[in-house]
Amino acid sequence: MRDATRAEAEVELADHIVFRELPFCGVLLDTRRFTVHRLSRRASHVLRSALDPGSPNPYAPLLPDGDEETAQRLRRQLLDRLVSSGMVRRAGSGEAPGERR
């Protein structure tokens, strides 16, 4: 990831999490617990765009355009859930994954 993009990133992956995109979904691998979490195409897009703003969406032709307000609400919910589970942390927050203020 470019340094400029890293500064713009909304979230960062926890050190023990690996994110990969497959043609049909996204995958989060937890190397600490040796578990795999499957993400939908939409969730993969949300996470990728939060990690690397401005990245192209390979799923765009497959995802229907929807209500922007609903899309933003779902984005917040997904990112909040990943933060609370310790898989990602807010960029620049300085807190360890899973910690709450």
Side-chain angles (χ1 to χ4, degrees), residues 15-68:
D15 294 336
H16 63 282
I17 298 293
V18 177
F19 173 59
R20 293 291 182 260
E21 287 186 278
L22 305 172
F24 52 88
C25 69
V27 181
L28 286 170
L29 171 64
D30 184 335
T31 60
R32 187 181 301 162
R33 295 185 182 109
F34 300 106
T35 57
V36 176
H37 305 272
R38 183 182 177 273
L39 299 175
S40 69
R41 292 174 179 149
R42 186 173 304 280
S44 295
H45 168 63
V46 166
L47 181 55
R48 182 183 5 84
S49 64
L51 292 167
D52 187 12
S55 62
N57 181 4
Y59 307 123
L62 303 172
L63 296 174
D65 290 333
D67 177 22
E68 188 63 30

